[in-house]
Amino acid sequence: MPVDGSSPVLLDGDEWQAYFRDFERSAFRLEVHQTYTMPAEAETVRDFLTGGSMPEGFNVSWHRTIRDHTTAGRTMTRAKIVCRPLTPYSRYLFEWCVPGNVAAGENYHIVDLTDRPNPGLPEQDFWLFDESTVVHLNYRPNGTQINRELIQDPDIDKYLAWRDLALESATPFSAYRT
């Protein structure tokens, strides 16, 4: 909830999707949770955990979005905080999701805090678009999303510092996986 008492600006549907369509230079995501419980992923997570095969065309529309931005010279970067042993959800991400994202052009990084303290990163998932727009992704402890909140008048320097700290503390996904 905004500190000034105004109503939060919640994003959904096309209004939310527009941020991914319309950013001009960069999109950065910090992922801090170890488990996400997203209804749209329930079936594929279950298939992964029971030893099923990745579906044909898995995440093809998201990969097209990443490729289109990359081709146009825009960057999509993500930093995911993890602690070993990896949760079943993180194993699903690392086996089925992230490799395709990376192949499509996303710069995906892992901040492994297993054997070290948090370097000062927040416990808040967020997207930072064009180094000027911040959207918090709010989750319950079980990983279900509550909402996506556009942050009014964010302290951009703080979010840029968190982005830079996350990337300085991270290992590229391809190196982490090996």
Side-chain angles (χ1 to χ4, degrees), residues 11 27 30-31 34 53 75 86 94 116 126 131 139 154 159 166:
L11 302 172
L30 179 66
E31 290 184 347
Q34 301 306 295
S53 298
T75 61
L86 296 177
F94 289 5
R116 62 182 171 149
F126 66 86
E131 300 186 338
Y139 294 91
Y159 289 93

Side-chain angles (χ1 to χ4, degrees), residues 34-51:
Q34 301 306 295
T35 298
Y36 295 92
T37 308
M38 307 300 289
E41 293 178 331
E43 188 176 333
T44 55
V45 170
R46 184 176 55 250
D47 289 349
F48 170 78
L49 294 175
T50 59

